[in-house]
């Protein structure tokens, strides 16, 4: 029974027609989410009550049909198809307790949320554009007045001018390399030398920050340079097989440990 | 007459409220752009209460052919929307926005401040450079504060020009905003299984002068 | 859409006088030129009496901050003459900042705090005193702390007025190089070997350390 659902033989005529209509116009769609939203309308229910399983099936029909018609679908359509096939199997098979990660229901709920949110934004955009507009429905002063001509010159520039100005200079730099003279640079070579000497003594996990050389931790410029080169040196040592490195989450301290040769 | 010495006069007393109302009426009529209360008071004699005078003026124009409207924290006079049919001569041909640009604009308005990645997550497709450029150029959106998440992405917000264009007093008056929020559709809900990015507000690697490392490349 | 009806409707009856007054008010407000009675009637629904509505409107604005005035044989809304002193700001002339000033400002914004010598090194040309003075006078930049290096040169930083002007909440919100590139602003590559346009921002009384006497107060 459930096997049947994986076969594409039992496609209803209505599904085929719907899929073909989509394919003819595939260029007119803005990606897989847009197609899913269009397909979901055939269910004729509130988006909150949509059957994601049914939707996944419809989408897979659509992709299958495109293949039959030898229509090149962009990669993101195929990625969505693979993901929906995975979701479908998760929804149909009993949950495997050993498997980690979100359940099929959670994934389905999120997809339904995405569709509802996209639809809501489209509705909102339509309501926004339907509002009375300046210069179309209501109007500003047609003739700003100039009674007393007291001329004061002010100079203006826009953010775009500023960015373009900066871009102009930096683009020039690509051909006339610019280097600031900086004395607060701790090179990676220096860091590597230092680390090689130190890692032999450490047993457990130690924060990388504790490897920074003395006198390089208070001045932010120096600390930044020392941190960057120590981190680069650590990666090099990991690559060479001397060190383990870990970070529990974004912005958490980076920790190092001498690689235990017994494990 | 008296106005020749508004400065010396004002040392003693602010003009009567009716007079303040006239002044605001004149300034708002003369200007095509919205004028802030601060700008109004800077132009008026010392001691004037532009906010109160504005409230009176607004009431006076209630139901008339022109209206005193609020745009962000500024004020402007605009013709009543129901008389738009008289103005064919003044209508300016507005540039047609693409569907992508309209949706992007709506997402920025309803979700602001919002990053490019978030816009793409909501629309399900990547946002083309031209779309954002067009909206920036029209001055309907601008860069907002950087998001304090990895990569420190810039955010986009809508501008007072946007509010003026659509006759909104503030972004809180966007149509359907409350309902969308109540339905949870303005939340930035991550797909299940994805760790939320930490909102790490202060970054030690930033020196005192606000120079993020981004600018050092 | 609305235009369709008034014509058929008006075959029977002109809008009430109050409504005609509103129409004239809106048209006079929005049009760039004074409008004649004939033009007014051509725009209004059939059967309107623009002259009578104008007389009412004129009376309504009597003594207000703006007046309905006759210009030749046409009509316009103008600020009351006694309030002219409020309009001075309307005639501010704005000019684009020079390229040298924009580049200097951009460098200060992206690299602050930055010394004059560093600005010159980045721009590749000397920075004229006039440029810096202009930016200081506009209150877009100010002096920062002195750099603790030989000569103790002063540094420049941008001001809150600058952030306000450019709609930024902090200097950190300036788009980074990567974003400039994404926005297509870094594409204007000069072919290798081509000298950038020479700007002789000469400044002779400046010594090598970028310490003109200006800053030696």
């Amino acid at each position: 029974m459930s096997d049947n659902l994986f076969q594409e033989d039992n496609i209803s005529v209505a599904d085929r027609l719907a899929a073909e209509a989509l394919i003819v116009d595939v260029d007119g769609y803005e990606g897989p989410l847009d197609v899913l939203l269009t397909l979901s309308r055939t269910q004729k229910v509130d988006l909150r009550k949509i059957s994601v399983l049914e939707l996944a099936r419809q989408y897979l029909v659509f992709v299958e049909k495109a293949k039959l018609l030898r229509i090149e679908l962009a990669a993101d359509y195929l990625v969505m198809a693979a993901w929906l096939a995975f979701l479908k199997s998760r929804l149909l098979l009993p949950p495997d307790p050993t498997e980690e990660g979100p359940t099929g229901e959670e994934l389905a709920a999120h997809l339904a949320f995405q569709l509802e949110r996209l639809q809501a934004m489209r509705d909102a955009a339509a309501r926004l554009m339907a509002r009375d507009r300046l210069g179309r429905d209501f109007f500003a002063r047609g003739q700003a007045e100039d009674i007393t001509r007291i001329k004061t010159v002010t100079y203006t520039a826009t953010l775009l001018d500023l960015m373009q100005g900066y871009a102009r200079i930096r683009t020039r730099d690509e051909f006339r390399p610019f280097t600031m003279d900086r004395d607060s640079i701790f090179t990676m070579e220096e860091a590597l030398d230092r680390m090689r000497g130190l890692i032999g003594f450490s047993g457990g996990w130690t924060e990388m920050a504790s490897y920074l050389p003395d006198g390089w931790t208070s001045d932010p410029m120096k600390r930044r340079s020392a941190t960057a080169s120590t981190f680069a040196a650590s990666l090099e040592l990991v690559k060479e097989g001397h060190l383990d490195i870990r970070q529990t989450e974004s912005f958490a301290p980076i920790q190092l440990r001498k690689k235990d040769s017994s494990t | 007459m008296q106005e020749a010495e508004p400065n010396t006069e004002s040392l003693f007393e602010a003009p009567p409220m009716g007079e303040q109302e006239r002044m605001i009426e004149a300034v708002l009529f003369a200007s095509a752009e919205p004028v802030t209360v601060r700008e109004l008071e800077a132009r008026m004699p010392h001691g004037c209460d532009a906010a109160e005078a504005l409230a009176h003026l607004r009431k006076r124009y209630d139901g008339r052919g022109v209206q005193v409207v609020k745009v962000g924290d500024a004020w402007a006079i605009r013709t009543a929307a129901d008389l738009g049919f008289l103005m064919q001569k003044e209508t300016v041909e507005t540039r047609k926005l693409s569907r992508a640009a309209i949706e992007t604009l709506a997402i920025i308005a309803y979700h602001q401040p919002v990053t490019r990645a978030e816009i793409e997550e909501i629309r399900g497709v990547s946002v083309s450079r031209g779309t954002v450029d067009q909206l920036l150029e029209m001055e309907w959106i601008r860069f907002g504060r950087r998001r304090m998440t990895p990569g420190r992405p810039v955010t986009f917000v809508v501008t007072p020009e946007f509010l003026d264009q659509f006759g909104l007093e503030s972004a809180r008056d966007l149509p359907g905003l409350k309902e969308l929020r109540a339905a949870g559709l303005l939340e930035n809900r991550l797909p299940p299984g994805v760790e939320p990015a930490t909102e790490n507000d202060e970054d030690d690697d930033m020196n005192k002068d606000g120079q993020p490392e981004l600018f050092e490349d």
Side-chain angles (χ1 to χ4, degrees), chain A, chain B:
Chain A
M1 161 69 189
S2 67
D3 274 351
N4 261 344
L5 284 163
F6 289 92
Q7 309 214 325
E8 306 301 345
D9 308 327
N10 56 350
I11 301 167
S12 75
V13 176
D15 278 345
R16 273 186 200 278
L17 289 175
E20 273 172 49
L22 285 173
I23 289 159
V24 170
D25 194 23
V26 76
D27 282 338
Y29 284 89
E30 293 211 65
L33 207 55
D34 193 21
V35 167
L36 281 169
L37 194 54
T38 307
L39 285 171
S40 70
R41 291 203 190 99
T42 62
Q43 292 192 19
K44 295 193 176 73
V45 291
D46 186 335
L47 271 176
R48 286 158 193 263
K49 296 176 192 135
I50 197 150
S51 159
V52 170
L53 188 61
E54 170 65 14
L55 192 59
R57 201 181 57 73
Q58 286 175 307
Y59 185 87
L60 293 173
V61 168
F62 155 67
V63 170
E64 201 53 41
K65 194 76 198 172
K67 271 192 209 146
L68 287 178
L69 293 173
R70 295 172 198 275
I71 290 171
E72 288 274 341
L73 284 180
D76 49 346
Y77 286 86
L78 302 177
V79 170
M80 177 62 88
W83 186 81
L84 285 173
F86 163 77
L87 174 61
K88 202 171 109 174
S89 69
R90 278 244 160 155
L91 289 173
L92 288 173
L93 298 174
D96 178 351
T98 63
E99 225 171 335
E100 291 196 0
T103 66
E105 279 71 25
E106 284 168 340
L107 293 171
H110 186 71
L111 179 62
F113 167 72
Q114 282 180 293
L115 292 172
E116 196 192 344
R117 182 174 61 179
L118 179 59
Q119 186 57 53
M121 279 301 110
R122 289 191 172 164
D123 295 343
R127 285 169 77 178
L128 191 62
M129 299 315 279
R131 284 183 69 85
D132 289 331
R133 298 265 295 275
L134 178 66
R136 190 187 72 188
D137 306 294
F138 61 92
F139 295 83
R141 182 68 165 143
Q143 199 178 19
E145 289 181 45
D146 49 349
I147 296 170
T148 38
R149 274 228 173 265
I150 296 178
K151 226 185 205 168
T152 334
V153 178
T154 61
Y155 290 90
T156 66
T158 65
L159 187 58
L160 210 61
D161 294 333
L162 197 69
M163 283 156 49
Q164 275 164 343
Y166 189 66
R168 202 154 54 218
I169 303 161
R170 297 310 298 251
T171 313
R172 210 151 61 205
D173 285 347
E174 288 176 15
F175 304 103
R176 190 185 57 78
F178 163 75
T179 44
M180 286 254 211
D181 295 330
R182 295 167 67 171
D183 45 11
S184 316
I185 296 294
F186 191 66
T187 66
M188 188 185 144
E189 286 69 29
E190 288 172 285
L192 205 51
D193 276 352
R194 187 180 157 76
M195 296 288 287
R196 283 194 203 283
L198 289 174
I199 52 167
F201 302 105
S202 168
W205 288 106
T206 319
E207 285 193 14
M208 192 187 78
S210 66
Y211 286 92
L212 298 191
D214 292 339
W216 286 78
T217 50
S218 48
D219 176 3
M221 279 279 271
K222 288 176 128 183
R223 188 181 61 234
R224 207 180 325 169
S225 169
T227 304
S229 48
T230 302
F231 179 58
S234 305
L235 291 181
E236 184 62 28
L237 290 170
V238 170
K239 203 171 105 191
E240 290 175 10
H242 299 304
L243 267 187
D244 287 326
I245 190 164
R246 71 175 187 188
Q247 183 182 29
T248 48
E249 58 179 340
S250 299
F251 298 116
I254 294 171
Q255 297 178 316
L256 306 173
R257 185 175 65 178
K258 184 174 191 275
K259 191 151 189 127
D260 193 345
S261 43
S262 64
T263 55
Chain B
M1 307 162 269
Q2 307 144 291
E3 292 70 24
E5 302 96 22
N7 288 329
T8 56
E9 210 178 57
S10 63
L11 288 176
F12 307 101
E13 211 178 331
M17 190 45 71
E19 197 55 24
Q20 295 186 31
E21 211 189 303
R22 284 184 77 229
M23 291 178 184
I24 287 179
E25 189 176 30
V27 172
L28 292 188
F29 256 94
S31 169
E33 305 290 322
V35 187
T36 64
V37 172
R38 236 178 79 190
E39 285 166 341
L40 283 170
E41 285 186 348
R43 290 206 211 177
M44 294 161 74
H46 187 75
C48 284
D49 184 344
E52 195 193 328
L54 263 166
H56 289 297
L57 191 68
R58 203 178 189 186
K59 205 171 288 164
R60 183 183 294 272
Y61 277 93
D62 196 30
R64 303 281 302 277
V66 295
Q67 305 282 298
V68 179
V69 299
K70 191 171 185 202
V71 181
D73 58 352
W75 295 81
I77 295 183
R78 299 283 180 253
T79 63
D82 68 311
L83 298 176
F85 70 95
L86 291 168
M87 308 297 169
Q88 285 117 329
K89 248 181 103 179
E90 278 74 32
T91 307
V92 279
E93 219 22 78
T94 43
R95 184 145 51 131
K96 204 117 168 72
L97 281 179
S98 67
R99 172 173 151 179
I102 291 172
E103 279 183 28
T104 303
L105 179 66
I107 291 169
I108 293 171
Y110 283 83
H111 289 260
Q112 64 174 343
V114 63
T115 67
R116 191 185 192 112
E118 286 161 356
I119 298 169
E120 296 184 340
E121 154 80 11
I122 293 170
R123 295 197 63 228
V125 283
S126 60
V127 174
S128 85
R129 176 202 291 173
T131 303
V132 173
D133 281 359
Q134 187 184 15
L135 295 174
L136 281 170
E137 205 181 292
M138 296 169 85
E139 300 195 326
W140 285 3
I141 64 169
R142 65 172 178 86
F143 294 107
R145 204 180 261 291
R146 277 177 192 280
R147 186 65 57 77
M148 291 300 150
T149 51
R152 299 182 169 281
V154 289
T155 61
F156 297 100
V157 296
V158 292
T159 61
E161 285 79 8
F162 165 86
L163 299 177
D164 196 12
Q165 179 71 31
F166 291 96
L168 294 162
E169 277 196 21
S170 82
R172 284 186 298 276
D173 300 322
L174 284 163
L177 185 71
K178 247 183 256 158
E179 294 82 342
L180 287 170
R181 185 169 291 137
L185 292 169
L186 300 184
E187 286 163 26
N188 186 18
R189 213 177 286 175
L190 289 165
V194 174
E195 287 290 312
T198 32
E199 291 266 334
N200 198 345
D201 245 39
E202 236 348 296
D203 189 342
D204 294 338
D205 274 340
M206 184 103 96
N207 66 34
K208 255 289 188 252
D209 314 301
Q211 274 289 315
E213 55 276 46
L214 181 62
F215 299 142
E216 305 247 315
D217 51 5

